[in-house]
Amino acid sequence: MLSDLYQPHTIWASDGLYTRIQLPSGTLCVIISAIWRVKERPFLIHMSFTPLNFLKQVQSRRFHRDFFPERIVADRRKEDDGEGVAAFTLSSSVPEIKGSFTYAVDPKVQIYSLLFEDEEMGNVNLSIKLSDKTAHSLLGPMSFGRFLPLPVQWHVFSTRSVALVEMSTEKKEGEGGLNWKEKGYAHIEKNFGIGFPSSWIWIQAFADSDKGSLVVAGGRLVAGVRSFMVALRSPQGRNWDFGPIGTLQLLGWGVGSSMTQMDSEKGVIELTCTDWVRGRRIHIFGKTELDTFIGLTAPLSTGHQKGYCDESFEAVYEVEMLSLGWNGWNVVEKIVMRQGAMEFGGDWSHWWRERKGLQSSKED
């Protein structure tokens, strides 16, 4: 059902939920992923915190944990109250670290609860409360591409939610622990299908004001064919989407999109998308430092693969929104977004190609 896209999709091979929280001190990321019918690493629970400017810090709270439980239980509860969200709970346990993980989803509030023992941090208790979501449209950024037989479906649950993070740690030796409480904004999405594409990019950023956000997802569908999806919410209230049909590229050429730069070795992405029907165009230029990327685990048809994608949370994006008039294209709004996410996945990540011993190639 289109009204129920965020709930668990156990009938699909791959099902993953991703929450990125931008805090004043850095980015907190939580991923719950399931590949329902494989035996090796079928489930993933990821949590990480990447401090802003962590390379310049002598000591930082940076951490990165992947857990591979034996199962994740999906408990669907009552139907939604008219907002198009069915309540559900995902839960799991990892006995070897005394881990307990719960994600409770309600139309109004979503809550993560993670408890586990960690060799470095001691006993960890992490609670994340997400509220006041900015929901996308029913079809989402994919628009009518939702009905195409694509290998992966993408659903944005919220382009901007209020996030309250509380974390405490307690060392076994009685040493002083950490008590951390911080408020920020969250981007909440999921994907489901037969598995990730062999190559992709992902962008997410918030505007400096209390309004505005950007998210981009796209990749190689088959050899020589790629497509992108864009959801832009501007500080001035413009809501522009570009779906996979209009941005389709064949052998690097497309009527509705052009990728001027996409280079993981330089940490740069430059993308232009055009909606000729509505007379809208968006130009995105993003750049970040190579040392800020971290490797992440991604779902494949064979199980979860470590280091299959690489992501930075310190990208700066310059966005131009243009409208078509009698005198050509005119800029109607410019936006700068800092502390953004930039991800290169699969063969579009030179780090992954190096890990696999492949020759460097930026071709589709």
Side-chain angles (χ1 to χ4, degrees):
M1 294 176 57
L2 284 176
S3 61
D4 221 8
L5 289 174
Y6 194 61
Q7 71 167 328
H9 288 75
T10 54
I11 64 172
W12 290 86
S14 175
D15 191 21
L17 297 92
Y18 181 104
T19 300
R20 186 220 169 195
I21 302 169
Q22 182 171 308
L23 302 164
S25 61
T27 286
L28 180 65
C29 176
V30 181
I31 302 172
I32 301 176
S33 179
I35 310 172
W36 298 105
R37 290 181 287 277
V38 300
K39 295 182 178 180
E40 184 176 354
R41 287 181 181 164
F43 303 109
L44 165 71
I45 296 173
H46 166 91
M47 60 172 289
S48 62
F49 176 69
T50 307
L52 187 63
N53 299 320
F54 71 90
L55 294 174
K56 300 177 182 178
Q57 301 179 21
V58 178
Q59 292 182 336
S60 71
R61 289 178 292 173
R62 183 184 183 190
F63 59 84
H64 182 293
R65 301 290 186 271
D66 279 347
F67 305 106
F68 301 98
E70 294 184 358
R71 63 185 301 217
I72 291 178
V73 178
D75 178 21
R76 297 178 180 84
R77 293 179 279 137
K78 64 181 181 180
E79 285 295 326
D80 66 82
D81 58 357
E83 295 194 15
V85 179
F88 66 88
T89 300
L90 295 176
S91 59
S92 183
S93 62
V94 185
E96 57 266 29
I97 58 167
K98 297 182 180 179
S100 173
F101 306 91
T102 303
Y103 180 41
V105 174
D106 183 84
K108 299 292 185 182
V109 178
Q110 302 80 49
I111 298 177
Y112 284 101
S113 178
L114 299 93
L115 302 168
F116 61 96
E117 287 186 353
D118 185 82
E119 291 184 2
E120 180 181 338
M121 296 185 290
N123 296 320
V124 179
N125 185 344
L126 174 62
S127 174
I128 304 170
K129 180 181 179 181
L130 309 172
S131 61
D132 302 309
K133 73 175 184 293
T134 303
H136 206 285
S137 62
L138 185 61
L139 287 173
M142 294 191 70
S143 185
F144 291 102
R146 178 75 63 196
F147 303 104
L148 296 177
L150 300 175
V152 63
Q153 296 281 327
W154 184 48
H155 175 65
V156 176
F157 181 77
S158 175
T159 58
R160 179 189 285 257
S161 291
V162 175
L164 179 62
V165 177
E166 295 185 74
M167 179 175 174
S168 64
T169 64
E170 182 181 353
K171 297 290 183 68
K172 297 179 181 179
E173 297 81 6
E175 300 177 13
L178 169 70
N179 286 293
W180 172 33
K181 185 175 182 179
E182 199 166 1
K183 189 175 182 180
Y185 295 109
H187 168 87
I188 311 170
E189 69 172 55
K190 76 167 296 179
N191 53 74
F192 56 95
I194 62 175
F196 268 34
S198 60
S199 310
W200 76 88
I201 60 165
W202 185 79
I203 291 170
Q204 195 281 321
F206 295 108
D208 291 341
S209 64
D210 289 338
K211 296 181 179 180
S213 62
L214 170 70
V215 61
V216 179
R220 180 198 304 169
L221 301 179
V222 295
V225 181
R226 58 190 185 184
S227 184
F228 303 93
M229 297 162 287
V230 181
L232 175 62
R233 302 294 177 260
S234 82
Q236 295 183 17
R238 294 181 175 90
N239 298 335
W240 289 10
D241 295 333
F242 300 83
I245 300 175
T247 63
L248 195 69
Q249 294 182 4
L250 181 63
L251 299 177
W253 183 88
V255 174
S257 67
S258 64
M259 180 67 75
T260 309
Q261 298 185 74
M262 182 184 60
D263 194 340
S264 66
E265 297 183 57
K266 296 180 180 178
V268 61
I269 294 176
E270 186 173 7
L271 173 67
T272 300
C273 294
T274 304
D275 184 336
W276 293 100
V277 176
R278 294 183 175 87
R280 297 173 176 175
R281 175 173 289 174
I282 180 175
H283 178 259
I284 303 167
F285 176 79
K287 186 171 179 56
T288 190
E289 298 295 327
L290 288 183
D291 290 343
T292 62
F293 281 89
I294 61 172
L296 294 177
T297 300
L300 304 183
S301 59
T302 55
H304 287 93
Q305 175 64 58
K306 291 184 176 181
Y308 194 66
C309 59
D310 296 271
E311 189 165 348
S312 168
F313 300 110
E314 296 195 26
V316 177
Y317 291 100
E318 298 174 359
V319 181
E320 285 188 342
M321 304 178 73
L322 303 96
S323 180
L324 182 60
W326 64 269
N327 59 340
W329 291 100
N330 303 293
V331 177
V332 296
E333 191 171 352
K334 291 185 177 181
I335 314 165
V336 176
M337 300 183 177
R338 300 175 177 84
Q339 201 177 337
M342 178 184 291
E343 179 177 293
F344 295 93
D347 291 340
W348 285 354
S349 167
H350 76 276
W351 293 283
W352 170 249
R353 295 196 302 269
E354 290 172 357
R355 294 178 192 120
K356 294 293 290 183
L358 301 176
Q359 292 184 350
S360 179
S361 172
K362 305 182 185 66
E363 301 298 324
D364 280 340

